[in-house]
């Protein structure tokens, strides 16, 4: 919306969060982490990723993720450049053997399905779809060797259970907005992959994947097959580099640093139980608030499907959500806009573990204030 059309409304100081970042990625980066990065001076940024300071950081990330997510024995943490979007292409080349099945219930799950669907070396994928605001469940299919789930569909604010649909077949889980903030039993997944700019409060650019022995076996078997894979998309090369605490090519050192800072902070505070409880408490505030207001309602009607990290709230058609978001932005509260392609009169709020509960309360009071000011008498 043009700035001129945004009502000139100033929030009282008491309604302003200390930190007004409520985006779904990039999301709030804790100031303590940024300060620590600055304080590292000349010892880290601007130094070789093949030497100890950076390799130690990669090792801390890999070790910390095992502590946080407690995978069964034998799982390995891989990482590489390009984020979750690149991982879809890498998985299409290096993990799907002949045919994948995709639970499609929003933009992100749709994108992996599209990547697999356009691959000439694969059979057309099986799609199991649900309307926006709900999730489908995977089902066993004889010729499917890879099941693609999305732990938290960030575009709609829907969380799905992570459970193996069949004894055979790899289970790949896009956990980009879930990993580290929603409890999970990794025995139910073979590849649990994510970027670091959401729960891990870092910058974009890297993907991380916790891989089961079965997934590693598949990666190595496809690597040995005649299938051609460019080096930058090779999971075999990513695995070899990761084992050496490196990436195939230069990573963002800042992203590694910020993610490790956030990860170690979450571990100190109590690990996954702490992080999950914090996001759950914040989202409960938002959903309870929406249910108590005549002008708002949670978009996800089934409570079990409501995301604890991404709350999507529909507003009454008489109140333009885009205007509410624009007024909030003017007042330093940013990125509460709905996912564009969903096309609803909606606010979407990221409630990752870095967000303070008190800031969440102030956000809700600020929305009340803006809505009251925008509502014709
Ligand atoms: C943000 C997001 C992505 C995309 O991550 P990139 O790092 O931008 O590639 C993929 N899947 C989900 C569920 C996301 O929330």
């Amino acid at each position: 919306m043009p700035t001129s059309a945004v009502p000139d409304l100033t929030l009282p100081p008491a309604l302003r969060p200390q930190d007004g970042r409520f985006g779904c990625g990039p999301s709030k980066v804790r100031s303590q982490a940024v300060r620590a990065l600055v304080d590292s001076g000349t010892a880290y940024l601007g130094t070789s990723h093949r030497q100890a300071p950076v390799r130690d950081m990669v090792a801390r990330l890999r070790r910390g993720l095992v502590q946080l997510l407690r995978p069964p024995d034998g799982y390995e943490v891989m990482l590489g450049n390009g984020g979750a979007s690149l991982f879809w292409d890498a998985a299409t080349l290096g993990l799907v053997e002949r045919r994948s099945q995709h639970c499609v219930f929003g933009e992100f799950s749709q994108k992996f399905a599209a990547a697999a669907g356009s691959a000439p070396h694969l059979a057309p994928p099986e799609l199991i779809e649900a309307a926006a605001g709900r999730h489908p469940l995977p089902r066993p299919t004889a010729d499917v060797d890879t099941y693609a789930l999305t732990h938290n569909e960030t575009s709609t604010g829907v969380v799905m259970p992570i459970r193996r649909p069949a004894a055979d077949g790899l289970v790949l889980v896009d956990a980009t907005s879930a990993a580290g903030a929603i409890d999970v039993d990794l025995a139910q997944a073979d590849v649990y992959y994510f970027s670091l700019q959401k729960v891990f409060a870092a910058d974009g650019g890297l993907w991380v994947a916790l891989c089961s022995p079965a997934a590693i076996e598949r990666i190595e078997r496809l690597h040995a097959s005649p299938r051609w894979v460019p080096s930058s998309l090779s999971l075999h090369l990513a695995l070899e580099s990761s084992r050496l605490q490196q990436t195939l090519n230069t990573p963002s050192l800042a992203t590694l640093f910020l993610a490790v800072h956030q990860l170690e902070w979450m571990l100190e505070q109590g690990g996954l139980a702490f992080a999950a409880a914090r996001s759950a408490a914040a989202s409960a505030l938002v959903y309870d608030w929406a249910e108590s207001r005549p002008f708002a309602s949670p978009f996800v009607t089934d409570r079990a499907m409501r995301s604890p990290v991404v709350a999507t709230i529909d507003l009454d058609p008489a109140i333009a959500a885009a205007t509410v978001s624009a007024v909030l932005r003017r007042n330093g509260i940013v990125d509460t806009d709905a996912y564009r392609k969903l096309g609803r009169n909606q606010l979407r709020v990221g409630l990752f573990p870095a967000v303070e509960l008190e800031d969440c309360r102030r956000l809700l009071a600020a929305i009340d204030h803006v809505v009251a000011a925008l509502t014709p008498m």
Side-chain angles (χ1 to χ4, degrees), residues 244-266:
L244 300 173
Q245 319 296 2
Q246 300 194 39
T247 44
L248 182 66
N249 62 320
T250 317
S252 159
L253 306 199
T255 297
L256 285 170
F257 185 101
L258 295 171
V260 166
H261 198 278
Q262 173 74 3
L263 171 59
E264 292 181 353
W265 173 73
M266 293 198 294

Side-chain angles (χ1 to χ4, degrees), residues 47-375:
T47 70
S48 169
H49 61 298
R50 305 292 179 211
Q51 299 298 327
V54 178
R55 290 173 71 174
D56 289 349
M57 201 61 79
V58 173
R60 276 163 73 180
L61 180 72
R62 296 177 73 228
R63 206 166 47 231
L65 286 171
V66 169
Q67 266 180 280
L68 188 78
L69 298 171
R70 304 173 313 260
D73 286 347
Y75 280 52
E76 288 191 56
V77 183
M78 295 167 61
L79 70 163
N81 280 309
S85 300
L86 181 132
F87 193 83
W88 294 323
D89 295 332
T92 298
L93 285 163
L95 276 164
V96 183
E97 190 151 5
R98 288 181 347 108
R99 189 174 189 223
S100 51
Q101 177 189 96
H102 299 256
C103 283
V104 175
F105 54 113
E107 271 302 303
F108 293 106
S109 43
Q110 164 59 36
K111 282 184 178 165
F112 187 16
S118 65
H121 61 284
L122 300 177
E126 180 182 18
L127 307 187
I128 304 181
E129 302 185 57
R134 302 190 58 76
H135 68 72
L137 287 172
R139 58 174 175 249
T141 295
D143 68 342
V144 161
D145 55 67
T146 305
Y147 296 89
L149 314 185
T150 302
H151 201 175
N152 186 72
E153 187 33 275
T154 319
S155 63
T156 57
V158 171
V159 64
M160 80 177 290
I162 301 304
R163 272 197 294 275
R164 291 186 184 279
D168 297 333
L170 296 181
V171 175
L172 274 48
V173 180
D174 179 354
T176 300
S177 56
I182 303 179
D183 198 20
V184 67
D185 172 11
L186 286 185
Q188 300 293 323
D190 293 292
V191 182
Y192 194 70
Y193 64 92
F194 46 92
S195 306
L196 297 171
Q197 71 275 21
K198 304 194 185 191
V199 175
F200 294 97
D203 224 338
L206 285 167
W207 58 260
V208 174
L210 279 78
C211 296
S212 72
I216 291 166
E217 188 274 334
R218 176 81 63 85
I219 288 169
E220 297 303 15
R221 191 151 45 78
L222 289 181
H223 170 67
S225 78
R227 187 183 290 179
W228 176 72
V229 176
S231 300
S232 61
L233 292 168
S234 163
L235 293 175
H236 163 76
L237 291 178
L239 183 60
E240 285 197 329
S241 304
S242 303
R243 285 173 174 163
L244 300 173
Q245 319 296 2
Q246 300 194 39
T247 44
L248 182 66
N249 62 320
T250 317
S252 159
L253 306 199
T255 297
L256 285 170
F257 185 101
L258 295 171
V260 166
H261 198 278
Q262 173 74 3
L263 171 59
E264 292 181 353
W265 173 73
M266 293 198 294
L267 287 170
E268 277 161 26
Q269 301 296 312
L272 189 55
F274 155 80
R278 206 160 130 109
S279 284
S283 55
L285 283 179
V286 176
Y287 293 126
D288 289 349
W289 166 86
E291 286 182 332
S292 73
R293 295 297 184 274
F295 59 84
S297 54
F299 169 53
V300 179
T301 49
D302 184 333
R303 284 161 195 270
M305 296 189 187
R306 281 181 193 165
S307 167
V309 282
V310 174
T312 45
I313 303 299
D314 281 343
L315 295 189
D316 185 288
I319 301 154
T323 305
V324 175
S325 289
V327 171
L328 292 174
R329 176 173 291 278
R330 272 210 172 166
N331 285 275
I333 300 173
V334 302
D335 301 335
T336 59
D337 318 71
Y339 192 79
R340 349 167 220 82
K341 287 195 198 152
L342 192 58
R344 294 185 70 90
N345 189 45
Q346 184 171 97
L347 300 174
R348 184 178 64 146
V349 184
L351 301 161
F352 298 115
V355 171
E356 299 290 336
L357 269 190
E358 178 54 24
D359 280 351
C360 183
R361 284 190 198 97
R362 289 188 187 199
L363 165 71
L364 299 175
I367 298 171
D368 279 338
H369 184 90
V370 173
V371 167
L374 294 178
T375 307

